[in-house]
Amino acid sequence: MTVTAQRAGQSMWLLCGGCRTPVPAARFRRALHVCEACGRHAPVGARERIDQLADEGSAVALPAPPGAEDPLGFADLVPYRQRLRAARAATGLAEAIACARVTVHGLPAVLAVLDFGFLGGSLGTAVGEAFARAAETALQRRCPLVVVSASGGARMQEGTLSLLQMAKTTQALAELDRAGLLTVSVLTDPTYGGVAASFASLCDVLLAEPGARCGFAGPRVIEQTTGEPLPPGFQTAEFLLDRGLIDGVVPRSHLRQALAHLLRTAAPGARARLARTAARTAGRPAAALVTAPERLAAADAWDTVRLARDLGRPTTRDYLDRLVEDFTELRGDRTGADDPAVVGGLGRLAGQPVVVLGHQKGHRIDELRRTNFGMPGPAGYRKARRVMRLAARLRLPVVTFVDTPGAEPGRAAEEQGQSGAIAECLRAMLRLPVPVVSVVTGEGGSGGALALAAADRLLVLEHAYYSVISPEGCAAILWKDRAAAPDAARALRFDAPALLRAGVADGVVPEPPGGAHADPAATAERVGAAVAGVLRELLGTDERRRLAQRAARYRANPADRLEGLARSADEPAA
């Protein structure tokens, strides 16, 4: 599997360990040790990895702490001390980890990088201590910690002392969690055992290089234990991504830029500067936002439903593409599934670092099928809750885009705890200590919508609706006839003017003539301006006061809302 070298005249050539294609060594290094023929990501030493990720000349190595040098007097075929000497000679490292203070695109971070060439990147006492000190350095300097793993697991030659390093490194990450500092883990080939089962899997964001093999038990152990062959691609980065266990697969050539995006969003210094700016601009009215119902044109409720469902309306991903810079998507619920009906991640909206969540449908039938027509299952709500928790820790405001006919009502969703997943997501959102703005962009159906809409401020697009049930569902239950859906829509009074009068919505974003689908770019511009204005207002308020107002919002007297609804129509409510 290793890259081999051979001389041809005066030039050095390397042979790819995957496809066996020869390539000039200099070109291979320029390609960051990635084969141009087959895309295989060859192993990289810790020092070279730091050079690849850090700004030139920015790396300041952290001193390597002493470990328990051969605490057991261990010897197998070769004495442990002899193995250590050979590893040090081969890698030039004192141990299987190198740590440094760096900048990435000018943004400060601490890097902790394991070197597989040093006894398989195994986790021994010196490695655990070096990792803990790197985390403490990040804590002292108030900057993110980035971990790059390549390891076979805990170091057997140090016995139980090695095992305890899993707890030491986990505790070090817990301190960064409490401090609200971003941690990023980059999984490279291979990452197994005690490293995978501790710090490599516990960071806020988990990225992996293409083809990297990651897991607790290695494939040989699994096959020998179970007696069953494993499927192709088992435990690869792509396998983990499909199952919601990591956030992304990033080619080595894009890794530095991906880290810069995360650092720009979650760096404490950037967050503090923008919070000060928001405080200075608080009180300015949100642009492109209607707060007086009489300013909205009257529309038939059933026409609103048809416009809200138009396949041309911008989706959450469309809004992300147009409004959010440096977006990093966070995938999966980390328990075995990723639901494409919910999209979430970190980025910057109008310069403000934010966490974004939204229902995702699609424009084509294949997209709609893949996203289950925007109806999330339990994994989607668990993913949303995970992303919300990260927002709370990093002190990033949350923006949600709501567009779903409702939560998935199928058998599998029920078996996996759909009700509990929605309830937990709703509770997490109500408890968020950061500002929360929700925008109903199309359909706002039932508890499946509310789970992403329990916000400080709720905005609604002019031709969107927000309802306890779909008009078809209401008609089937109460009219005993789904064909009565237009009558149910009018009776439910869930259009934008009614929501504004009832105090359910705080503002309405006008749509271009013909609806949002007629001019998606103009719609996105209006939504972005409205959200940015509301965020400025919320960021300028005291947290305790904001939380009290959020609690009061949902404790409001229903009679007040009913009075507003009664004024929204000439006839009494059905």
Side-chain angles (χ1 to χ4, degrees):
M1 295 296 294
T2 57
V3 175
T4 57
Q6 58 186 27
R7 288 200 175 275
Q10 296 300 313
S11 64
M12 182 70 79
W13 289 70
L14 299 173
L15 205 60
C16 173
C19 65
R20 313 302 291 174
T21 298
V23 61
R27 194 166 82 189
F28 189 65
R29 284 193 295 272
R30 286 196 299 272
L32 305 179
H33 293 215
V34 177
C35 177
E36 296 175 350
C38 69
R40 177 178 180 265
H41 284 53
V44 176
R47 285 178 174 165
E48 188 167 3
R49 176 76 71 171
I50 291 173
D51 289 341
Q52 289 178 0
L53 296 177
D55 295 337
E56 186 175 357
S58 72
V60 177
L62 302 182
E69 190 86 5
D70 194 12
L72 307 182
F74 195 96
D76 43 71
L77 298 177
V78 177
Y80 179 40
R81 288 180 181 271
Q82 186 174 332
R83 290 189 186 276
L84 285 172
R85 286 195 295 271
R88 286 165 181 159
T91 63
L93 298 173
E95 254 298 344
I97 190 171
C99 304
R101 294 188 287 108
V102 302
T103 61
V104 180
H105 285 220
L107 301 159
V110 172
L111 284 178
V113 183
L114 291 174
D115 194 316
F116 195 78
F118 194 111
L119 298 182
S122 51
L123 177 59
T125 56
V127 173
E129 180 63 20
F131 182 93
R133 294 190 184 189
E136 289 165 356
T137 300
L139 187 62
Q140 292 163 3
R141 300 180 69 84
R142 301 290 302 170
C143 68
L145 174 69
V146 178
V147 184
V148 183
S149 298
S151 175
R155 189 169 299 175
M156 293 176 286
Q157 295 93 333
E158 296 185 13
T160 308
L161 292 177
S162 175
L163 181 68
L164 295 179
Q165 304 313 302
M166 293 173 63
K168 174 186 281 189
T169 54
T170 297
Q171 179 175 280
L173 284 181
E175 294 299 322
L176 295 179
D177 285 349
R178 277 191 283 271
L181 295 173
L182 176 72
T183 56
V184 182
S185 176
V186 180
L187 306 172
T188 72
D189 188 52
T191 299
Y192 280 108
V195 168
S198 59
F199 61 87
S201 297
L202 286 177
C203 293
D204 299 318
V205 181
L206 302 185
L207 306 176
E209 290 190 330
R213 295 163 297 166
C214 314
F216 181 58
R220 185 183 308 169
V221 172
I222 296 172
E223 289 184 332
Q224 290 175 351
T225 302
T226 65
E228 297 178 358
L230 296 174
F234 184 76
Q235 289 186 323
T236 61
E238 294 74 15
F239 176 93
L240 299 177
L241 183 66
D242 287 343
R243 286 153 182 81
L245 299 174
I246 62 175
D247 293 301
V249 176
V250 182
R252 193 172 292 167
S253 58
H254 296 165
L255 184 56
R256 188 166 178 266
Q257 184 64 51
L259 292 177
H261 286 175
L262 285 165
L263 299 183
R264 267 195 291 269
T265 301
R271 302 202 309 262
R273 285 194 298 274
L274 284 158
R276 290 193 295 270
T277 301
R280 288 196 301 270
T281 58
R284 296 181 186 175
L289 199 57
V290 174
T291 57
E294 59 273 13
R295 290 181 53 199
L296 296 169
D300 181 74
W302 186 241
D303 290 338
T304 294
V305 171
R306 289 188 292 184
L307 283 169
R309 293 174 175 172
D310 193 289
L311 293 183
R313 287 183 79 84
T315 67
T316 291
R317 290 195 181 277
D318 293 328
Y319 287 114
L320 289 171
D321 289 343
R322 294 182 183 276
L323 299 177
V324 182
E325 298 176 272
D326 295 337
F327 181 69
T328 300
E329 184 174 357
L330 303 180
R331 296 273 297 272
D333 63 359
R334 295 272 179 96
T335 64
D338 181 41
D339 188 342
V342 172
V343 178
L346 298 84
R348 293 182 298 137
L349 191 152
Q352 167 66 51
V354 293
V355 162
V356 183
L357 282 163
H359 299 97
Q360 175 64 22
K361 290 182 178 177
H363 301 296
R364 304 188 311 270
I365 189 63
D366 58 323
E367 294 174 331
L368 291 166
R369 286 173 176 161
R370 187 178 65 83
T371 63
N372 195 32
F373 295 83
M375 295 186 293
Y381 293 109
R382 289 173 183 139
K383 172 167 64 174
R385 192 176 74 215
R386 176 175 82 85
V387 175
M388 288 178 195
R389 287 173 176 166
L390 179 59
R393 277 209 321 95
L394 298 179
R395 312 298 294 180
L396 294 175
V398 174
V399 176
T400 70
F401 296 106
V402 176
D403 185 13
T404 179
E408 164 59 35
R411 173 181 169 180
E414 293 300 317
E415 291 174 342
Q416 296 160 19
Q418 180 73 298
S419 296
I422 293 171
E424 292 289 351
C425 186
L426 180 58
R427 177 165 63 178
M429 195 170 195
L430 288 167
R431 290 179 173 178
L432 282 173
V434 297
V436 185
V437 179
S438 295
V439 187
V440 182
T441 61
E443 295 185 274
S446 190
L450 178 63
L452 295 188
D456 296 304
R457 298 287 187 275
L458 179 71
L459 311 183
V460 182
L461 262 68
E462 183 179 4
H463 300 304
Y465 75 88
Y466 188 32
S467 175
V468 67
I469 192 171
S470 70
E472 290 87 351
C474 180
I477 294 171
L478 298 182
W479 274 260
K480 312 300 182 185
D481 183 3
R482 291 179 65 88
D487 294 327
R490 297 177 189 111
L492 286 166
R493 299 182 193 173
F494 50 35
D495 60 325
L499 295 171
L500 203 54
R501 287 189 178 94
V504 173
D506 298 286
V508 174
V509 180
E511 297 185 24
H517 61 282
D519 194 342
T523 302
E525 183 179 354
R526 294 178 185 186
V527 169
V531 171
V534 172
L535 274 180
R536 279 199 307 269
E537 174 196 340
L538 291 172
L539 285 166
T541 61
D542 175 73
E543 178 182 314
R544 186 175 299 179
R545 178 185 174 192
R546 188 174 62 247
L547 289 173
Q549 290 174 340
R550 188 189 303 164
R553 178 188 186 92
Y554 296 101
R555 181 61 181 85
N557 189 337
D560 297 335
R561 297 191 188 282
L562 289 172
E563 183 182 349
L565 279 173
R567 291 197 306 270
S568 70
D570 295 330
E571 69 279 9

